[in-house]
Amino acid sequence: MEIREIKENEAGQRLDKYLKKCLPQAPSGFLYKMLRKKNIVLNGRKADGSEKLKAKDQLKIFLSDETISKFSNEVTDMETLKGQYPVTALTVLHEDEDILIIDKPAGMLSQKASPADISANEYIIGYLLKEGAISPKELNTFKPSVCNRLDRNTSGILIAGKTLRGLQHMAEQLKEHSLGKYYCCLVQGAVTKEQEVTGWLKKDEKSNKVTVSPTEQEGASFIKTGYRPLRQAGAYTLLEVRLYTGRSHQIRAHLASKGHPIVGDLKYGNPTVNQLFRKHCSVKGQLLHACRMEFADGRVVKAPLPEIFQKALEFAAKQ
């Protein structure tokens, strides 16, 4: 027999969905049969699986320890978990009960692209396990997750929800565009004035590239991007970009469509310029950095520019 008390991170979901997380190897028919026979009861009463769980609800599972173990596949051994969620040095910009914000380095995935990948998401869970912010057992029914996504070679502010409340709150802010998202990038060409530009973006899933049109196109999404020059460096400009709509590759493709491709961008940039900066500055990807986030409650989180930006600016100024 096992008694479980529903935690805040587990509340809000259907009982049958929760049971499938607890006992993933158990056939659905078996779980519903156990509910009918009152071998699984909720708050001391018979349940059918459709009930919405609330925090502090009590679930009693009248099954043998061997049966529970066979169906659960729970991993509680920390050594095993270290393989799934390794610990690495993370630059933490902000942390509270509900969210964790890190400065993601260029080259690190935000989330897995394939099952074998280790992404920022896994490193964040590894960090939370190490700090005791989440237990191995809790991972079976709730996993912290990143809320915003950055391309592999884009560095900067990455937000993760540590709790269900944190994930839901951040999802709401991102959906309502109440979160101010600012980026810095080094672009080709001289930008001398602040601008806000709009367009229509369409993605080709096969090539994982997007195209931007100034007029509405079938299957395209509206985009809006603001930018202002921060520093001139020869024939290049360091920009601060405000992302009003968050579409795939929006900043990279939108700026390129305006004649200002980002230095180092292998998809939308200038190959000759990319080769020049790779040779002299070791620039291997787009010089795009999520530098500032402004929250609806007035909080501001900043991530300093990586050293590669200063190196590239010094080289650009000499051209």
Side-chain angles (χ1 to χ4, degrees):
M1 174 189 171
E2 182 172 290
I3 300 175
R4 290 176 176 251
E5 184 176 285
I6 303 303
K7 296 180 171 55
E8 291 283 349
N9 288 339
E10 300 165 335
Q13 61 186 309
R14 284 172 54 116
L15 171 59
D16 52 4
K17 302 295 185 184
Y18 175 80
L19 288 172
K20 282 300 293 181
K21 293 176 183 177
C22 296
L23 304 169
Q25 299 304 311
S28 296
F30 172 81
L31 293 175
Y32 287 118
K33 181 179 179 180
M34 293 302 99
L35 287 166
R36 289 195 303 271
K37 295 180 68 174
K38 296 181 68 173
N39 285 337
I40 300 176
V41 295
L42 180 64
N43 297 323
R45 296 188 295 274
K46 185 177 180 179
D48 62 16
S50 65
E51 294 81 2
K52 282 290 183 70
L53 295 175
K54 301 186 293 295
K56 297 185 178 180
D57 277 350
Q58 189 182 75
L59 188 68
K60 290 183 179 179
I61 304 174
F62 294 100
L63 300 173
S64 68
D65 293 343
E66 292 79 8
T67 300
I68 292 173
S69 178
K70 180 179 75 173
F71 287 143
S72 70
N73 270 357
E74 284 189 353
V75 178
T76 57
D77 176 58
M78 284 300 293
E79 289 304 314
T80 302
L81 285 172
K82 283 179 182 178
Q84 296 179 29
Y85 307 111
V87 174
T88 191
L90 295 176
T91 300
V92 177
L93 301 173
H94 171 84
E95 184 174 6
D96 57 36
E97 287 186 358
D98 296 316
I99 63 171
L100 173 72
I101 304 178
I102 69 166
D103 187 352
K104 184 188 83 66
M108 181 185 287
L109 287 166
S110 296
Q111 292 179 311
K112 285 177 179 286
S114 67
D117 289 334
I118 298 295
S119 69
N121 213 103
E122 283 69 55
Y123 288 128
I124 286 167
I125 292 175
Y127 166 85
L128 295 174
L129 282 168
K130 178 175 175 288
E131 296 297 313
I134 191 167
S135 70
K137 190 168 186 176
E138 287 175 309
L139 283 178
N140 291 285
T141 54
F142 173 79
K143 284 184 174 64
S145 176
V146 298
C147 305
N148 62 315
R149 295 187 67 172
L150 300 176
D151 293 332
R152 182 196 286 267
N153 289 319
T154 298
S155 57
I157 296 172
L158 189 69
I159 308 170
K162 293 171 56 176
T163 65
L164 181 62
R165 180 174 57 211
L167 282 171
Q168 290 174 336
H169 183 56
M170 289 309 309
E172 183 180 353
Q173 290 196 55
L174 289 165
K175 182 179 180 181
E176 295 177 351
H177 303 294
S178 60
L179 185 69
K181 297 182 285 186
Y182 295 85
Y183 294 72
C184 282
C185 59
L186 182 63
V187 301
Q188 190 177 352
V191 180
T192 58
K193 62 180 181 178
E194 184 172 350
Q195 297 187 62
E196 287 186 358
V197 292
T198 59
W200 296 85
L201 180 148
K202 187 173 184 178
K203 185 173 183 178
D204 183 334
E205 296 292 345
K206 289 184 178 179
S207 65
N208 193 31
K209 288 187 70 174
V210 304
T211 54
V212 175
S213 171
T215 56
E216 186 173 0
Q217 304 289 321
E218 184 179 353
S221 301
F222 175 78
I223 57 172
K224 180 179 179 181
T225 311
Y227 55 88
R228 67 185 182 94
L230 297 177
R231 177 176 167 184
Q232 297 292 325
Y236 303 87
T237 308
L238 180 68
L239 296 180
E240 179 186 77
V241 179
R242 171 85 187 264
L243 193 60
Y244 289 97
T245 53
R247 304 296 182 183
S248 180
H249 299 178
Q250 177 180 325
I251 295 174
R252 297 162 61 188
H254 211 173
L255 289 173
S257 75
K258 296 298 180 181
H260 300 296
I262 297 175
V263 171
D265 192 335
L266 301 179
K267 282 186 182 287
Y268 308 101
N270 182 314
T272 303
V273 169
N274 292 345
Q275 186 177 17
L276 185 68
F277 277 81
R278 185 183 182 92
K279 178 180 178 181
H280 294 279
C281 306
S282 300
V283 173
K284 298 177 181 178
Q286 64 269 8
L287 290 181
L288 179 62
H289 178 71
C291 60
R292 191 167 85 252
M293 290 281 186
E294 296 180 352
F295 290 80
D297 61 9
R299 286 179 298 165
V300 177
V301 175
K302 297 180 180 179
L305 278 179
E307 290 182 7
I308 190 68
F309 273 76
Q310 184 58 39
K311 189 176 181 181
L313 281 164
E314 290 173 359
F315 174 73
K318 298 173 184 177
Q319 300 309 296

